[in-house]
């Protein structure tokens, strides 16, 4: 039997309790944009967003070109998205932080994996979350999503 040497953590929903559903509902209300249509567009553009080929600001430009009764800029929509993200994912889970620390103390290599957006990648880095890990596998930097083999060596 092989010895375990590495442990991989997903960031979203594990280390931070982010909720895409809550964020999307909040942004939909703010933009006065139909929620289901926003979800459909997020699904349509999820690959270029997660792979770092499209920023959230560029995505909101597409959204707002379809319906923008309050003449909101894509930059302001991005700012609100980040505000909602911080509200819904403001705190790292203390139990998960303890587990990460214990695993590292036991000599295991602890890595993170995340499918994210360019702006949230930068925010996560600024918040010091990536510093908790020995390695970070980040979709926007690797230009691939988890389903495409981000885990391969």
């Amino acid at each position: 039997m092989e010895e375990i040497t590495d442990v991989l953590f997903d960031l979203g929903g594990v280390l931070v309790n982010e909720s895409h559903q809550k964020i999307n509902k909040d942004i939909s209300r703010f933009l006065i944009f139909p929620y289901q249509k926003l979800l459909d567009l997020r699904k349509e553009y999820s690959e270029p967003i997660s792979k770092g080929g499209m920023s959230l600001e560029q995505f909101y430009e597409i959204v707002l070109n379809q319906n923008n009764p309050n003449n909101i800029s894509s930059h302001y929509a991005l700012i609100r998205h980040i505000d909602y993200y911080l509200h819904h994912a403001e705190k790292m889970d203390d139990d998960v932080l303890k587990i990460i620390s214990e695993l590292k103390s036991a000599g295991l290599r602890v890595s993170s994996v995340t499918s994210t957006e360019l702006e949230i990648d930068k925010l996560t880095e600024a918040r010091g979350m990536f510093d908790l890990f020995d390695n970070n596998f980040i979709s926007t930097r690797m230009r691939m999503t988890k389903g495409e083999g981000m885990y391969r060596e």
Side-chain angles (χ1 to χ4, degrees), residues 43-98:
K43 184 177 181 181
E44 181 179 345
Y45 291 99
S46 67
E47 188 172 312
I49 291 170
S50 292
K51 289 183 176 184
M54 175 185 284
S55 69
L56 282 173
E57 187 167 357
Q58 290 169 318
F59 170 73
Y60 284 122
E61 189 170 317
I62 292 167
V63 169
L64 293 167
N65 280 335
Q66 293 189 21
N67 182 42
N68 192 359
N70 289 331
N71 200 28
I72 296 168
S73 72
S74 58
H75 184 72
Y76 191 55
L78 168 65
I79 290 169
R80 290 306 297 257
H81 181 105
I82 291 171
D83 287 344
Y84 295 136
Y85 173 84
L86 288 171
H87 174 75
H88 294 296
E90 68 178 303
K91 188 174 182 320
M92 289 184 266
D93 186 296
D94 290 332
D95 292 334
V96 175
L97 288 170
K98 182 179 177 187

Side-chain angles (χ1 to χ4, degrees), residues 120-136:
I120 302 302
D121 172 357
K122 291 176 186 173
L123 180 63
T124 303
E125 184 168 38
R127 293 173 76 188
M129 284 189 219
F130 295 139
D131 295 338
L132 299 168
F133 300 95
D134 299 307
N135 300 298
N136 295 284

